[in-house]
């Protein structure tokens, strides 16, 4: 246990993390053997890797490497750097992390003397070689290039791991250093999914992803989710997900009723990934079946094709 002061009260609960199936990863009960030769095939080394600094101090104990332009850090060394008392278990290409921190929260009520409350924050995290995200406090944090095996340990992009610990990430091109920093007033770990994911958005986003792309690969499901949320954030479209989906003549599943079907597990995970910032088509506002003429194919700018869908800005 450790103590540190913060200015905001963060109520957390322990959420049992699990590893994604198929493209996202394997379920906890399935033993995953490290992929032989995976790193050697994908590795792109640089002559001089950048240093990693935390709050300005160099971190010598962190094990990392630059792969295809991405700074990968082993989960075990990253967690040990931030919390030496955390419980880290790693076997068969899967690493689990359980950590807790006692936090003193100073509450200043009007007309009252400052009072300190003590709460406990917890982190439950799972990461697996070959997965395209880590699961932390039931939050799904996207790793576009996947998780890899680095010197026998599971490694993830530093930006993804930093998010689990509420750290900022920057890069100093002059000093060639990855700069990590604690955020003032932030909790020790990211807020759990039970508090973070808006229930209405998750309900409809998972259903439209399932109806439109439930048979597509993960990246195709993310792309459909991106289109929906891009519309919600675009002034040309309604500003709620329900209104976007049920806007006249826009989404066929909304008019046919297939949007009301119970989504499968992968569609729910894809929705959570999108809600947690996963973007594969950040400018797309339209999509349609490949080869089927429509308004978008005739009038909008083509972006890319993913699975059986073409995407347009």
């Amino acid at each position: 246990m450790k103590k540190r002061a913060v200015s905001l009260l963060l109520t957390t609960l322990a959420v049992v993390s699990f590893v994604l199936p198929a493209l996202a990863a394997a379920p906890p009960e399935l033993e995953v053997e490290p992929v032989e030769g995976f790193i050697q095939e994908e590795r792109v080394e640089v002559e001089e890797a950048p240093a990693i600094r935390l709050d300005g101090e160099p971190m010598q104990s962190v094990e990392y490497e630059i792969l295809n332009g991405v700074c990968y850090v082993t989960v075990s060394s990253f967690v040990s750097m931030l919390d030496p008392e955390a419980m880290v278990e790693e076997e068969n290409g899967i690493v689990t992390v359980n950590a807790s921190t006692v936090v003193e929260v100073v509450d200043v009520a009007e007309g009252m003397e400052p009072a300190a409350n003590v709460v406990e924050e917890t982190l439950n995290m799972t990461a697996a070689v070959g997965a395209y995200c880590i699961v932390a406090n039931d939050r799904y944090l996207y790793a576009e290039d996947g998780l890899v095996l680095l010197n026998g340990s599971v490694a993830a992009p530093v930006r993804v791991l930093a998010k689990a610990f509420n750290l900022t990430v920057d890069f100093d091109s002059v000093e060639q250093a990855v700069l990590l920093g604690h955020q003032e007033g932030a909790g020790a770990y990211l807020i759990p999914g039970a508090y973070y994911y808006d229930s209405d958005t998750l309900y409809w986003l998972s259903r439209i992803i399932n109806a439109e792309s439930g048979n597509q690969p993960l990246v195709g499901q993310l792309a459909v989710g991106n289109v929906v949320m891009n519309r919600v954030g675009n002034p040309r479209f309604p500003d709620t997900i329900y209104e976007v989906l049920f806007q006249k003549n826009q989404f066929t599943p909304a008019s046919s009723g297939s949007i009301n079907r119970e989504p499968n597990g992968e569609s729910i995970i894809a929705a959570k990934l999108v809600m947690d910032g996963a973007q594969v088509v950040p400018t797309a506002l339209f999509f349609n079946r490949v080869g089927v003429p429509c308004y978008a194919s005739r009038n909008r700018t083509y972006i890319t094709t993913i699975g059986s869908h073409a995407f347009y800005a």
Side-chain angles (χ1 to χ4, degrees), residues 1-44:
M1 296 288 188
K2 306 183 298 305
K3 292 185 178 180
R4 67 190 194 90
V6 296
S7 61
L8 298 177
L9 174 60
L10 178 63
T11 306
T12 63
L13 76 164
V15 180
V16 178
S17 298
F18 59 93
V19 189
L20 308 182
L23 286 175
E29 68 272 15
L30 180 64
E31 292 188 358
V32 179
E33 294 295 333
V35 181
E36 197 70 29
F38 181 77
I39 296 298
Q40 287 74 12
E41 294 174 0
E42 297 294 332
R43 178 174 297 170
V44 176

Side-chain angles (χ1 to χ4, degrees), residues 14 39 57 60 62 66 74 80 90 93 124 154 173 190 205 224 231 277 301 309:
I39 296 298
E57 296 297 323
Q60 305 293 345
V62 180
I66 307 300
T74 61
S80 296
E90 187 163 0
N124 296 282
V154 181
S173 58
L190 81 176
L205 188 60
V224 167
R231 287 193 178 197
T301 302
H309 287 135

Side-chain angles (χ1 to χ4, degrees), residues 27-300:
E29 68 272 15
L30 180 64
E31 292 188 358
V32 179
E33 294 295 333
V35 181
E36 197 70 29
F38 181 77
I39 296 298
Q40 287 74 12
E41 294 174 0
E42 297 294 332
R43 178 174 297 170
V44 176
E45 299 185 11
V46 295
E47 293 183 2
E48 183 177 355
I52 292 184
R53 297 176 184 170
L54 176 62
D55 296 330
E57 296 297 323
M59 297 291 106
Q60 305 293 345
S61 61
V62 180
E63 188 177 19
Y64 66 99
E65 191 166 342
I66 307 300
L67 306 176
N68 298 327
V70 178
C71 181
Y72 275 86
V73 181
T74 61
V75 175
S76 56
S77 70
F78 189 87
V79 172
S80 296
M81 169 189 73
L82 294 166
D83 188 353
E85 298 176 15
M87 181 180 296
V88 181
E89 297 181 350
E90 187 163 0
E91 186 177 8
N92 296 325
I94 300 176
V95 58
T96 59
V97 177
N98 292 280
S100 62
T101 297
V102 173
V103 183
E104 284 186 351
V105 180
V106 178
D107 184 19
V108 182
E110 186 176 354
M112 302 287 290
E113 292 293 324
N117 297 316
V118 176
V119 296
E120 182 182 25
E121 295 184 23
T122 60
L123 174 68
N124 296 282
M125 185 166 71
T126 305
V129 172
Y132 284 88
C133 74
I134 64 174
V135 185
N137 283 352
D138 199 31
R139 295 273 296 277
Y140 289 76
L141 311 181
Y142 187 49
E144 180 180 0
D145 298 306
L147 275 58
V148 301
L149 201 64
L150 181 59
N151 297 330
S153 295
V154 181
V158 66
R159 290 185 180 277
V160 179
L161 288 172
K163 187 172 181 177
F165 288 86
N166 285 329
L167 299 177
T168 60
V169 186
D170 203 353
F171 182 72
D172 187 330
S173 58
V174 176
E175 297 292 331
Q176 287 294 296
V178 175
L179 307 178
L180 303 173
H182 288 95
Q183 302 182 69
E184 184 178 356
Y189 318 115
L190 81 176
I191 187 172
Y195 298 119
Y196 178 80
Y197 296 125
D198 175 74
S199 59
D200 188 61
T201 300
L202 180 59
Y203 180 93
W204 289 113
L205 188 60
S206 61
R207 278 160 174 74
I208 192 62
I209 289 174
N210 181 70
E212 292 279 15
S213 58
N215 62 345
Q216 298 294 300
L218 176 63
V219 65
Q221 296 184 46
L222 296 179
V224 167
N226 285 162
V227 169
V228 174
M229 298 312 294
N230 290 346
R231 287 193 178 197
V232 173
N234 189 297
R236 295 178 51 210
F237 296 91
D239 57 5
T240 70
I241 188 168
Y242 181 88
E243 292 174 314
V244 162
L245 295 179
F246 287 89
Q247 190 176 18
K248 188 176 179 179
N249 298 328
Q250 294 302 303
F251 292 90
T252 302
S255 57
S256 69
S258 63
I259 193 173
N260 295 309
R261 294 173 184 166
E262 191 71 21
N264 60 34
E266 287 188 358
S267 297
I268 294 173
I269 288 170
K272 289 182 176 182
L273 284 165
V274 169
M275 293 174 70
D276 240 311
Q279 287 192 329
V280 295
V281 283
T283 62
L285 295 170
F286 302 87
F287 67 90
N288 73 305
R289 290 282 176 181
V290 173
V292 178
C294 66
Y295 163 80
S297 64
R298 293 189 297 269
N299 299 281
R300 309 301 300 186

